[in-house]
Amino acid sequence: PTTSSVTPTTSSVTPTTSTNPYGTSLTYSQYMAAEDGTEVVIEGYIQARRTWYNGAVLYLQDDDGAYFIYNLPCTQTEYNEQLLVGNKIQVKGKKGSWGGEVEILANQSGAEAEWALLSGTKTYDAKSITLSEAEANQNQFVSYTNLIIQDVYEEGRNVYYLVTDGTKSYTFCVETYMESTPKTSTTYTTVAALSKGDIVDVKGYQYIYYTPQLHTTEVTKKSGNAFDKAEGVLTYSEYIAKSDGETVTISGYIDNKQSWWSNKASLYLSDKDGGYFIYNLPCTENEYNTDLVIGNKITVTGYKTSWHGEVEIDGSRSGSEAEWTVDSTIKYIENPVNYTSLLSNKTELLKHNNQKVEFKNLEVVSVTEPTSDNGDIYYVVKYTADDNTEYTYTFCVESYLTDKTTDVYKTVLALSAGDKINVTGYLYAYNDPQLHTLTCTKVA
């Protein structure tokens, strides 16, 4: 059996010992500080049992932290009668890590772990954290509130769901080998039915697989959708259909703050259907720092216009100055969408104007040195389509947004013709498609 809750399932079996047969156990901080390959002794209360297959895979916890035990040697009888949720055990074994996950590698050949059942039982309530705190709570039973779904997809026997809380964004998983009824469990079917913008509360066991992951035990869908529009607020398609010069009302989540000066802010907003650029939105510096925060949802009424193909709201248009309100406590940030294939079709590409995008495996044609110590950098890239047709674009690192101290400025400046790169940024129009470049990574 596997366990997906913290309900105690304690044993009436007499403990092996009421003391510590392997000596004094390390504290959680001492355990985390120990080198990989070191023999360690830890103790804690079993909070979840992932599986048994000639050994037990367990989550333990104490008052200071949590532990993951991989393939602890035990018989199935011991697993069923002693290694139960709530029971306290002491474990001696080799500490290791894999993909960032800290664990005891209990079945390491020649250094198999030993364990003993101790007196005492305890379970812990889920610890409420944010996604920014995920790495610091490795292997703990945790809960998240008001996460917004960005994507859901089934792959193999699992279902994956991409979530954000407006600070970070991670992909979590419902792993069917942990479920007693694979693909038909309440957790699995709840996640599989979710859509972008749905709001959920989530519980599970935090672990690391290069980035924070979650052994999901419970997902609760809440009412509403993060992208619901209030009465009178245009959808993205309705906004795009409006003519220049019309007053429009739109809403979206602040995805990036381009700049602030002279009581005006320039912002990128996102919703599930597209992106918006707000130019020179009237605001004080205090409002810019405390209200117009990345992740906040705002509603803006202002003058729609375009400039060299760039669709925007001109917030400081004389006689039509924009007005705005913050209208949600739920936060959201968008992930870049891969539109590399659309580089072969400028018309289709520009339908994603002002979205956060990524382009992969582009070839550098040339890089133009800046004309001043901290000037703009122009770089020409080439995309080769499946039919071997080549398309070139001139993108820019805009120094007033990303100056010479930033990683993207330094990386692009150091590029040479023939280098392959991945880039992310905000797509915009300046006659042709252009990119407010945020990151640039050389492809090995």
Side-chain angles (χ1 to χ4, degrees):
T2 58
T3 308
S4 61
S5 72
V6 292
T7 304
T9 312
T10 54
S11 172
S12 60
V13 176
T14 303
T16 306
T17 175
S18 60
T19 59
N20 295 328
Y22 306 117
T24 302
S25 299
L26 298 178
T27 65
Y28 178 73
S29 59
Q30 289 171 334
Y31 166 73
M32 292 298 287
E35 297 284 341
D36 281 1
T38 303
E39 185 176 82
V40 295
V41 176
I42 57 102
E43 64 184 71
Y45 299 91
I46 299 170
Q47 299 301 295
R49 311 189 311 160
R50 264 181 52 182
T51 187
W52 180 88
Y53 182 75
N54 295 326
V57 180
L58 307 171
Y59 285 101
L60 308 187
Q61 193 163 328
D62 61 21
D63 291 344
D64 298 316
Y67 310 86
F68 183 56
I69 317 296
Y70 183 70
N71 279 356
L72 183 67
C74 66
T75 66
Q76 192 164 16
T77 298
E78 290 171 327
Y79 183 76
N80 291 335
E81 295 182 359
Q82 297 186 52
L83 296 175
L84 302 179
V85 170
N87 283 359
K88 187 178 184 180
I89 62 172
Q90 187 181 46
V91 179
K92 180 175 73 171
K94 287 290 182 72
K95 181 191 174 192
S97 60
W98 187 69
E101 171 67 8
V102 178
E103 57 193 43
I104 289 182
L105 301 171
N107 66 342
Q108 191 171 32
S109 179
E112 291 83 358
E114 302 176 57
W115 62 275
L117 183 66
L118 305 181
S119 297
T121 60
K122 188 174 185 179
T123 57
Y124 291 84
D125 292 331
K127 180 181 179 182
S128 179
I129 64 172
T130 67
L131 293 179
S132 294
E133 298 168 319
E135 291 192 59
N137 288 279
Q138 186 174 162
N139 298 318
Q140 292 217 42
F141 184 46
V142 300
S143 66
Y144 296 100
T145 58
N146 292 333
L147 297 183
I148 300 179
I149 298 295
Q150 296 178 298
D151 192 18
V152 177
Y153 60 95
E154 295 182 76
E155 187 173 288
R157 62 187 181 183
N158 302 325
V159 61
Y160 297 86
Y161 59 109
L162 183 63
V163 294
T164 183
D165 63 359
T167 60
K168 296 284 187 178
S169 179
Y170 292 121
T171 300
F172 291 162
C173 183
V174 180
E175 295 164 286
T176 57
Y177 82 94
M178 291 179 63
E179 300 283 336
S180 58
T181 54
K183 292 203 172 187
T184 61
S185 68
T186 299
T187 305
Y188 192 100
T189 56
T190 297
V191 171
L194 294 172
S195 301
K196 185 170 183 176
D198 284 340
I199 305 164
V200 294
D201 293 342
V202 176
K203 291 182 180 179
Y205 290 87
Q206 194 75 67
Y207 71 99
I208 306 294
Y209 183 63
Y210 299 102
T211 62
Q213 248 296 353
L214 191 74
H215 286 306
T216 309
T217 62
E218 182 181 338
V219 176
T220 304
K221 181 183 175 182
K222 307 178 84 168
S223 62
N225 185 283
F227 300 105
D228 287 341
K229 303 289 186 181
E231 185 176 354
V233 178
L234 301 176
T235 66
Y236 180 75
S237 60
E238 291 170 338
Y239 164 73
I240 292 298
K242 291 291 185 181
S243 301
D244 284 2
E246 291 194 64
T247 297
V248 296
T249 299
I250 57 98
S251 67
Y253 291 87
I254 299 172
D255 210 59
N256 194 279
K257 305 203 297 183
Q258 197 187 74
S259 57
W260 179 90
W261 71 91
S262 300
N263 289 325
K264 295 183 288 291
S266 293
L267 311 169
Y268 286 101
L269 309 186
S270 67
D271 68 16
K272 65 180 178 180
D273 298 315
Y276 308 85
F277 183 58
I278 317 296
Y279 180 70
N280 282 355
L281 183 69
C283 66
T284 65
E285 188 170 13
N286 183 63
E287 289 172 329
Y288 182 76
N289 291 329
T290 61
D291 296 325
L292 296 175
V293 177
I294 290 176
N296 277 358
K297 186 178 184 181
I298 64 171
T299 297
V300 179
T301 299
Y303 182 93
K304 184 192 174 192
T305 188
S306 60
W307 189 70
H308 291 276
E310 172 66 11
V311 178
E312 61 192 26
I313 290 180
D314 183 354
S316 61
R317 178 83 173 190
S318 180
S320 303
E321 290 82 359
E323 298 179 352
W324 58 273
T325 57
V326 178
D327 61 300
S328 177
T329 58
I330 298 174
K331 294 181 181 293
Y332 180 86
I333 54 172
E334 190 60 272
N335 281 319
V337 181
N338 186 346
Y339 288 130
T340 306
S341 63
L342 292 185
L343 289 170
S344 62
N345 190 325
K346 292 181 180 181
T347 301
E348 288 299 313
L349 182 62
L350 282 176
K351 290 181 180 179
H352 302 284
N353 204 3
N354 299 317
Q355 281 188 262
K356 188 189 294 183
V357 303
E358 65 179 355
F359 301 127
K360 291 194 169 186
N361 206 34
L362 305 182
E363 182 179 339
V364 176
V365 176
S366 63
V367 178
T368 301
E369 292 278 344
T371 57
S372 63
D373 182 50
N374 192 32
D376 296 342
I377 305 172
Y378 292 91
Y379 62 107
V380 179
V381 294
K382 179 172 64 178
Y383 165 67
T384 304
D386 291 340
D387 63 0
N388 290 322
T389 304
E390 296 180 347
Y391 301 86
T392 59
Y393 288 84
T394 301
F395 292 156
C396 183
V397 178
E398 296 156 287
S399 59
Y400 83 100
L401 301 173
T402 48
D403 65 24
K404 67 179 182 180
T405 65
T406 60
D407 289 340
V408 64
Y409 193 98
K410 295 174 184 176
T411 300
V412 173
L413 187 59
L415 293 175
S416 301
D419 286 342
K420 294 294 183 69
I421 58 173
N422 298 334
V423 291
T424 67
Y426 289 91
L427 182 69
Y428 69 96
Y430 185 70
N431 299 322
D432 285 330
Q434 185 46 273
L435 188 72
H436 165 30
T437 312
L438 296 177
T439 68
C440 177
T441 307
K442 286 182 67 174
V443 179

